[in-house]
Amino acid sequence: MASSGEDTCDDSDTAPVADSAHLLGFSDEILLHILSHVPSTDLVLNVRRTCRKLAALCLDKSLTHTVLLQKDYEASEDKVKRLVKEIGRDVQQLSMAGCYWLSGTTVEHVARCRGLVRVNLSGCPLTSLRLSKVLSALPHLRSLAIDVSPGFDASQLSSECKATLSRVRELKQTLYTPSYGVVPCCTSLEKLLLYFEILDRTREGAVLSGQLMVGQSNVPHYQHLRVFYARLAPGYINQEVVRLYLAVLSDRTPENLHAFLISVPGSFAESGATRNLLESMARNVALDALQLPKSWLNGSALLQHMKFSSPFYFSFSRCALSGGHLLQRVIDGGRDLQSLAGLNLSGCAHCLAPDCLLRKAEDDIDPAILEALVAACPNLRHLNLSAAHHHSPAGPSQHLCQLLARLPHLRSLSLPVCAVADSPPRADRAPIPPTMRAVPRGFGKKVRIGVQSVPFPGPAGPQPSSVFWSLLKNVPFLDRLELIGSNFSSAMPRNEPAIRNSLPPCSRAQSVGDAEVAAIGQLAFLRHLTLAQLPSILTGSGLVSIGLQCQQLQSLSLAHLGLMGKVVYMSGLSDMLKHCKRLKDLRLEQPYFSANAQFFQALSQCSALQRLCLVSRSGTLQPEAVLAFMARCLHVVVCHLFTGESLSTCRSLQQALLRRWIPYH
């Protein structure tokens, strides 16, 4: 691409070429659609300089109205400054979320986009003074996303900045220090999203306190609030700080509140203030979305008193919600659930079973309860039934998969592995261990464990009679699928406390293997896939089917596949990765995994890969293979390798990567 402002081609260059055979022969509408997929920096700084026609189209308001720089790792300091200079006056929506590499002085250039209505600066380095300078120049701002880091001081915000904040209606605030941030200044808030990422201790080891100056905020600031969302990372201080935010709401619940969602890992004890808030909501508001900590719902009759208008999302994650409670308090409460689009029942071990004091978590579900749920919520798009044993009884049309197949609008689905098993094992026959049915062995004869030559459905693949196969056939537009063992716990969870003592897989999960995984290949629109704790994965042939057929796959997470202590599916995984041309994120959690040259060579063919995370207890890696992989995959920006290698090996590899790449950046 030319770097000067002169055209490198003109309309006469394209004259000898038929319009139908040249890009510029397309209509402006088609060209604008094509150009909308080009990063803004390339569009304005490069493509615009190729010819007169593209120069005009690249500055079309439909393209300059919104600028998305998040995950655009090639957006350098210079490019961002030039971009703002060229089209800053036309930009109304700007996202720089996660642009951690940009300096504070570069972020200040956002002030030149005086017409901004929405701006996301999460992850950008911003001091109180810089934030004040930027916001003071944005009088039309209505939506803001920022981080509140240690050292933030609201008293440093100018009067012009506070005037801008007083008009903001949507605020997303990520807290890394105990603070109200800019919330007290946002007197017109309608939507408040809070992310609590505060560490219990400073880097120096000092214990942090969650005490805030309550006088910084007052109830009238929330009188227009419609949406309140809070997500907490593990740690007592995050709970302490969120209680102070909730205490402000407990005095007077906003009359227009429609969504109240709190996501908390582990337990979160209910206080007097939160109890008053919930009672006030039950009396005064009609909600559309609800998510509460499990301790607030367990043993409570709150759901019976809550009013819902046109609910679109419920989350009862890890609550002691029985099937009877689900029918009486959610489905049969005289509520119209046609509008319900999302339902999270993760960890609700008894939500599909009748009330019974002697029931075990592994007992069969009651199909009538699930059938009633499906009938009441026919438009569900997102359903989470993971982290529980949902075993289907024997009988026609009694299986969980058969009932879920009646939800054609599903776009994301999370199920326990044991829930997709075809039928319960016979009581008179013990389950065959995977080691016995894996590969027949002769006396001293070595047997090669490889990939089936035909990965597509056939005699060795999933049969049309499989209930899991039928389910996926009836939800062809599924975008996200999670198949997670009911006893699985990650060694490095994101927003949950780590559990060291993992439980063995459910016995019914033993009948879910390569054939069932191959059935996922039907999902042509699948973009996000998680497979965890499938002990009967032997060859990985099902993974090859997914790689060949799911060409839209962008995110893949695999954990604890096959027998513990053995990685027998490496060949299948390598063959799969060769076909994943759009894969951007790969997370692999497998004990004793050997990250060798074969693995990294196959991974190098994922040309779009940006993030890699490998978690392997007692695993190994080859530093030379890692260096070769990083040299070939130029888009990789995150490479996390947690293995059993020595500290000296890891440091040597880190230094080698720094010496090779830092000079070029």
Side-chain angles (χ1 to χ4, degrees), residues 329-535:
R329 301 179 183 180
V330 180
I331 299 177
D332 292 337
R335 299 160 183 146
D336 180 12
L337 297 182
Q338 298 282 327
S339 60
L340 194 66
L343 179 61
N344 185 356
L345 296 173
S346 172
C348 299
H350 306 284
C351 66
L352 299 181
D355 298 343
C356 180
L357 295 177
L358 301 178
R359 184 185 184 275
K360 298 179 180 178
E362 297 82 4
D363 291 344
D364 290 347
I365 64 171
D366 183 353
I369 295 176
L370 181 57
E371 190 170 12
L373 176 65
V374 171
C377 313
N379 298 314
L380 272 180
R381 296 172 62 88
H382 312 283
L383 178 62
N384 190 338
L385 294 173
S386 63
H389 298 271
H390 294 312
H391 296 169
S392 300
S397 302
Q398 301 286 299
H399 199 280
L400 177 141
C401 290
Q402 293 173 310
L403 297 172
L404 294 184
R406 303 176 188 176
L407 298 172
H409 302 291
L410 280 178
R411 294 297 180 268
S412 69
L413 178 63
S414 183
L415 294 175
V417 176
C418 54
V420 305
D422 259 358
S423 59
R426 287 175 47 180
D428 60 341
R429 180 166 45 184
I432 302 175
T435 51
M436 295 179 60
R437 64 168 182 257
V439 181
R441 296 179 179 273
F443 292 101
K445 182 179 180 181
K446 294 182 179 180
V447 180
R448 179 180 180 272
I449 301 178
V451 181
Q452 299 174 10
S453 58
V454 183
F456 295 103
Q463 301 300 315
S465 59
S466 163
V467 289
F468 187 52
W469 174 276
S470 300
L471 166 62
L472 299 185
K473 182 179 180 181
N474 284 276
V475 288
F477 299 107
L478 209 62
D479 171 81
R480 182 185 299 269
L481 176 64
E482 295 181 345
L483 203 57
I484 304 174
S486 44
N487 291 331
F488 174 72
S489 59
S490 173
M492 301 184 69
R494 172 63 184 93
N495 272 319
E496 292 289 338
I499 301 176
R500 293 185 179 275
N501 298 324
S502 58
L503 298 174
C506 174
S507 59
R508 288 204 188 184
Q510 302 287 352
S511 60
V512 179
D514 292 298
E516 285 71 25
V517 171
I520 300 173
Q522 299 178 87
L523 303 175
F525 299 97
L526 189 68
R527 294 195 301 168
H528 309 278
L529 174 63
T530 298
L531 300 174
Q533 203 178 42
L534 280 77

Side-chain angles (χ1 to χ4, degrees), residues 78-90:
D78 179 63
K79 286 183 178 180
V80 173
K81 292 177 182 179
R82 291 166 56 198
L83 177 70
V84 171
K85 183 179 180 181
E86 295 276 356
I87 63 170
R89 63 186 180 279
D90 298 323

Side-chain angles (χ1 to χ4, degrees), residues 267-281:
S267 60
F268 185 30
E270 188 179 21
S271 65
T274 56
R275 193 177 301 111
N276 293 337
L277 173 60
L278 296 177
E279 292 174 355
S280 176
M281 286 196 301

